[in-house]
Amino acid sequence: MAGSGSDALLIGLGAIPGAWLRLKVVNHFEPMVPNKHWGTFAVNVCACFALGLIVRLDEASGGAGGLTLLLGVGFLGSLSTFSTFIVELIKEARAGRPWRSVALAGVSISSGLLAAAGGVALGGWHG
């Protein structure tokens, strides 16, 4: 049954390590690059690739869903962060760097699309 307590448990179990890893990656990049958004960029693009792969493998297996809930919704959902991405774009624009905001948006979206397509292709999507 979709939305059951066991679904919530799977999502929660995946979300905890995903959020922890995002914190570690973003904080790891911060001293090496002047802007925190590169850490956010890295986790978002990696999550796009992995989610593309997981969705394709879930489809190929008949859509059982447990692994998709644990890894796709839980882990990757908390690893990636659209809201932080948007706030970082706003910060760049408000800091007088609207061109950097637009460039970051374009690079992030195109990289995410390519990464997700790569994950799907690795999973063998033919449809």
Side-chain angles (χ1 to χ4, degrees):
M1 170 202 237
S4 68
S6 61
D7 289 351
L9 181 61
L10 283 171
I11 293 166
L13 288 172
I16 292 168
W20 177 84
L21 183 59
R22 174 171 32 116
L23 175 70
K24 289 300 197 182
V25 170
V26 170
N27 287 343
H28 175 76
F29 274 97
E30 190 172 10
M32 293 184 286
V33 293
N35 297 325
K36 206 171 196 169
H37 59 252
W38 292 114
T40 303
F41 172 82
V43 296
N44 284 346
V45 172
C46 288
C48 287
F49 174 82
L51 187 58
L53 178 61
I54 289 168
V55 166
R56 174 57 195 129
L57 294 176
D58 184 57
E59 287 174 350
S61 70
L67 197 57
T68 299
L69 290 175
L70 177 71
L71 296 177
V73 178
F75 182 77
L76 296 172
S78 66
L79 175 66
S80 62
T81 173
F82 186 75
S83 57
T84 301
F85 164 64
I86 294 301
V87 168
E88 290 169 352
L89 295 177
I90 292 168
K91 283 182 177 181
E92 286 295 327
R94 291 184 71 194
R97 298 181 295 263
W99 56 270
R100 188 182 287 180
S101 180
V102 170
L104 179 59
V107 168
S108 294
I109 293 168
S110 59
S111 297
L113 287 168
L114 289 171
V120 168
L122 184 63
W125 193 336
H126 300 290

